[in-house]
Amino acid sequence: MWLLQSSIGKKLIMSISGLFLLVFLLLHMSVNFVSIISGEAYNEACHFMGTNIFVQIMVPVLAAGFVIHIIYACVLTLQNQKARGSDKYASSSKTKVPWASKNMFVLGIIVLGFLGMHLMHFWTKMQLSEWLGEEQALGYTLVSALFKNPLYAVLYLVWIWALWFHLTHGFWSAFQTIGLNNGKWIPRLKVIAYIYATVIAVGFTIIPIFFWLVPGK
């Protein structure tokens, strides 16, 4: 099948799954931002996310999107390295492209690594516990305790800004792959990419800094 076998088809699948995840990141950041406004409201939001039927359906869909995006990123990276052969390092150094675009795979690995740790600390103790009928940890209590740990807070910030670099290239590149690749739209999409990535990164950054620095939170 062309969509699964050709390089263009694989890029298309990776781009579509990436665009889907862009929406998730914005929603996730918005919900998490509630935690610095009201602990009670955040706990209610977490409970809603853990019990709402629509969210229950979306979680495995999102998980599938992440898996597909990661698999095709790995496949395309290996294909590109194989195509370059012994000249892959030389060609990389001679190509004048943004740093993020040359290091998308490495950035993706950083994002993936922390995502696993993030899921272990939050999803397993909240939504998974809800599914298993166990006592669900209060979201606000969990967030506050983790972000008061300087090591976790610093690792979280490293993850967020690795994500920023990943998004600044991935955002416009995804639209380019699905067809918006003319000279008029690419510069606009690059600007939008930086705006989107910065909103996401700053929004997520404020949360650990708030819990880390504000007494009594």
Side-chain angles (χ1 to χ4, degrees):
M1 184 179 178
W2 170 83
L3 193 62
L4 300 176
Q5 295 177 351
S6 73
S7 178
I8 295 176
K10 292 171 184 174
K11 288 181 180 179
L12 183 62
I13 291 173
M14 189 176 72
S15 296
I16 293 173
S17 63
L19 290 173
F20 183 65
L21 297 175
L22 290 175
V23 178
F24 164 74
L25 279 173
L26 185 60
L27 291 173
H28 189 55
M29 185 273 291
S30 300
V31 172
N32 283 4
F33 203 81
V34 175
S35 65
I36 71 173
I37 300 172
S38 168
E40 184 179 347
Y42 182 66
N43 285 336
E44 288 295 325
C46 291
H47 179 70
F48 174 81
M49 298 290 285
T51 57
N52 182 268
I53 185 62
F54 178 74
V55 176
Q56 305 310 304
I57 294 172
M58 288 303 297
V59 166
V61 174
L62 285 168
F66 272 112
V67 171
I68 290 170
H69 191 73
I70 292 163
I71 289 174
Y72 278 88
C74 292
V75 169
L76 288 168
T77 298
L78 291 173
Q79 283 185 348
N80 290 338
Q81 289 184 345
K82 184 177 180 180
R84 289 173 182 166
S86 59
D87 294 329
K88 60 184 176 183
Y89 296 109
S91 61
S92 176
S93 62
K94 293 176 182 178
T95 304
K96 294 183 179 180
V97 294
W99 182 86
S101 65
K102 292 191 294 184
N103 294 277
M104 285 294 283
F105 186 72
V106 174
L107 290 167
I109 293 297
I110 295 173
V111 171
L112 178 62
F114 190 85
L115 178 63
M117 185 172 70
H118 194 62
L119 288 172
M120 181 180 68
H121 282 113
F122 287 96
W123 183 76
T124 57
K125 296 179 180 179
M126 295 170 66
Q127 194 170 58
L128 181 59
S129 296
E130 183 84 28
W131 289 355
L132 297 176
E134 301 172 354
E135 184 178 355
Q136 182 183 15
L138 288 176
Y140 187 81
T141 302
L142 194 59
V143 168
S144 178
L146 280 172
F147 285 142
K148 285 187 182 302
N149 181 335
L151 178 60
Y152 188 88
V154 170
L155 288 174
Y156 186 86
L157 293 176
V158 170
W159 171 61
I160 290 303
W161 289 96
L163 180 63
W164 181 86
F165 279 107
H166 195 77
L167 292 174
T168 56
H169 176 75
F171 184 100
W172 67 264
S173 180
F175 282 102
Q176 182 184 47
T177 300
I178 64 176
L180 291 176
N181 57 355
N182 59 62
K184 180 184 292 186
W185 272 103
I186 290 301
R188 295 175 180 176
L189 288 171
K190 287 182 177 181
V191 171
I192 296 172
Y194 275 95
I195 294 172
Y196 171 85
T198 302
V199 168
I200 293 294
V202 171
F204 276 120
T205 296
I206 290 172
I207 300 168
I209 290 176
F210 173 83
F211 284 101
W212 193 9
L213 299 180
V214 177
K217 295 296 183 181

